[in-house]
Amino acid sequence: MSDVVSLNHGSGGSQMRNLIENIFAGKFGMSKPLTDSALLENEGYTMAFSTDSYVVDPLFFPGGNIGKLALCGTVNDLAVSGAIPLWISASFIIEEGFPLEDLERIADTMASEAIKAGVKIVTGDTKVVSKGKCDKLFITTAGVGIVKSGFEHISKGSMIKPGDKLIINGSLGNHAIAVLGARNNLGFSSKIESDCASLNHIIQNFFGECSEIHFMRDLTRGGLAAVLNEVAEMTSLGISVQEESIPVDEPVKGLCEMLGFNPLSLANEGKFLLISSGDESFKILDILRSHPLGKNAAIIGEITDEHEGYVVLKTATGGKRILEMPSGIDLPRIC
Amino acid sequence: MKYIDEYRNPEIIKKLAEAIKKISSASYTFMEVCGGHTAAIQRFGIPALLPENIRLLSGPGCPVCVTSTDFIDKITKLSLEPGTIIATFGDLIRVPGSELSLDKCRSEGADIRIIFSPLEAVSIASVNPSRKVIFPGIGFETTAPGTAVAIKKAKEKGLRNFKVLSAHKIMPPAMEAIIRDGTRLNGFICPGHVSTIAGSKIFNFIPEKYGLGCVVSGFEPADILQSILMLVKQVNNNLPAVEIEYRRAVKPDGNETALRNMQEVFEICDSWWRGLGIIPASGLRIRKEYRDFDAEEAFTFETSSTDENPLCICGNILRGLATPSECPLFGKVCNNDNPVGACMVSAEGSCNIHLKYHPS
């Protein structure tokens, strides 16, 4: 049997990265580091441009639906690049027989989320395929925003240096566990809701206030573990993280213990990692905590010039270990 | 979280680590038999808390790792037959057979569903009466009773389309094989979940016959350190015995209901362990009374080889004779994305765990 694409290639971990680097980036002439948004220089300003596809199963889950995910996801990819998101496109691949009522509910959610985020959905596309040729509904969104002057380096992390602090805006793992719970085949029901939300307003609170933010990235597939490993590789610096300081809600913790998941590698849809100078970190923490999406924000570790290229987790029990890049398919179709 | 936080309390852990250090006057080698223990030991960073004269070896207790290539060949072949559904635990998906893995078969269109309980497989069979639903039964005393209950349930419901391909195994014969193979040990950290079902008494022959200590351990860091402390004391006092550290779950006689179910459906047979070869009376096959649910009866298989990559040293690793970093394939040819040997595939496999936490 020849080599084929497997679900592992879509997991957000090392196999997906290899696929993107070896097949797409090379042939398309894209240069590393590959970031969530492309930054496009124009006369006097920089535009951010990003796209994302959504195949979440089930379409509706506690705390959101595929439409909310599609809107917030692209807004967030732009926002963490230091951009003010402005225009969004939305394309739909719909399976024959899909209830119009559900489609309307999903479109309503997208419309209201767009108003909340202050973006406009300005163009799109619709395709319908025969029954059985796609699973209910897939959505692709793309977005354009204007990068805030002085934030152009954020997505590439070129200013990250030893001593910088790592900050996240709240508890990890809620989205993945909410979607998993909604699948009905795990035999558990929980009150855990997806954290799905647009992060552009909380991020815009930094504009004009902070000048020493060195990196931002949303913590979607592969979770915190994937992003930290990417940063370690990208910068060739070490990362040191204190497990104890990472917020994880009790019900999420419990389910992870039971199901054997690591909350640090679970997908989130309203969480991001921020890296800033040590001096500015407390100011940033205050700004985050003053916003509803950052109430549980925490400093979780720092950049170091030790163990270069590796993320080392100081465990809550006092041990130390490497926090690895997630690999394989823990959870397909989580977003 | 109750039953978790108190066993991860840094103060308690520090005290246990100090106590171990204080009484460790010689060199000690202990084997943790269970893959769950191997994973916990690395996840919590336990080696960093132990003195250098205590060495931990990983044993053959990862069910996926010891499952034969032949078994994977059978199940992948079945998955590609029209009308079959394979309902499996997730850890089997990526295990390579001689040519295929279930993962690859799924990419080719095989209907493979990940389940968390064998009873889910019975439900799938019940709603798909025109299709054959096959559950690959792997694992030790921990999972075999669940498979037994699923088979009994299918019989009760008259579901002739539910089949089990059994590679279930039992643990004590493998531990005896390791001792006889000459692996130098001072004692075993015995598997907590296996013992919850089978009781700690299944290890009684080890101190009696071989003079080695056994402590049945839980899976939290305080459990593991406490068990090591108990083993060190046994060695120091030259009083090898079977002791239970994991008292909140394990009794000497185990879980009688689970054992009864297991014995009703399965009988003991010789079994092939990846890396260890054939171990007499170490496997579980489905009894004649339940043959309608035995995939071995329902399908004919060509005998395939059990050849494995000659450079892969999984066998020695499973016997505690080598560590993953001594393998020429480790981390280079054989890694998470392209596992050669079974120890790399499973999240409980020594090589997988070793690469995860010590990549260089």
Side-chain angles (χ1 to χ4, degrees), chain A residues 115-286:
Chain A
I115 292 169
K116 259 197 239 170
V119 297
K120 284 208 160 74
I121 302 174
V122 289
T123 182
D125 184 43
T126 306
K127 298 279 191 305
V128 178
V129 298
S130 316
K131 187 98 190 153
K133 299 295 175 190
C134 91
D135 189 9
K136 298 185 278 290
L137 174 68
F138 300 154
I139 302 179
T140 298
T141 50
V144 172
I146 305 291
V147 178
K148 178 74 181 168
S149 160
F151 279 69
E152 292 85 354
H153 59 88
I154 294 278
S155 57
K156 291 203 162 82
S158 51
M159 309 270 283
I160 298 172
K161 57 182 188 307
D164 281 1
K165 297 290 180 195
L166 314 174
I167 306 171
I168 58 175
N169 66 314
S171 316
L172 300 183
N174 298 47
H175 174 73
I177 296 292
V179 172
L180 211 59
R183 280 187 194 161
N184 291 329
N185 61 351
L186 282 185
F188 73 84
S189 59
S190 76
K191 292 198 172 121
I192 299 165
E193 290 202 349
S194 165
D195 59 343
C196 181
S198 295
L199 293 166
N200 56 328
H201 294 307
I202 190 173
I203 287 173
Q204 281 164 32
N205 286 344
F206 302 130
F207 295 167
E209 293 287 330
C210 305
S211 57
E212 292 173 28
I213 294 175
H214 296 157
F215 181 77
M216 289 189 286
R217 178 72 61 82
D218 49 346
L219 304 173
T220 55
R221 261 175 316 170
L224 178 69
V227 172
L228 290 177
N229 275 284
E230 278 170 28
V231 172
E233 193 194 330
M234 189 166 88
T235 58
S236 302
L237 291 167
I239 296 182
S240 171
V241 186
Q242 280 79 43
E243 191 173 35
E244 255 176 333
S245 59
I246 300 171
V248 180
D249 293 345
E250 283 292 309
V252 173
K253 228 187 248 176
L255 282 164
C256 283
E257 285 297 332
M258 206 170 82
L259 299 168
F261 294 131
N262 177 0
L264 306 193
S265 54
L266 289 182
N268 311 278
E269 290 294 339
K271 295 294 168 339
F272 68 109
L273 170 75
L274 185 150
I275 301 177
S276 78
S277 71
D279 289 345
E280 210 170 71
S281 59
F282 289 100
K283 182 178 178 186
I284 288 169
L285 202 59
D286 285 343

Side-chain angles (χ1 to χ4, degrees), chain B residues 65 95 136 186 207 211 217 222 281 324 334 347 356:
Chain B
C65 301
V95 184
N186 300 100
S217 177
C334 179
K356 206 186 254 184

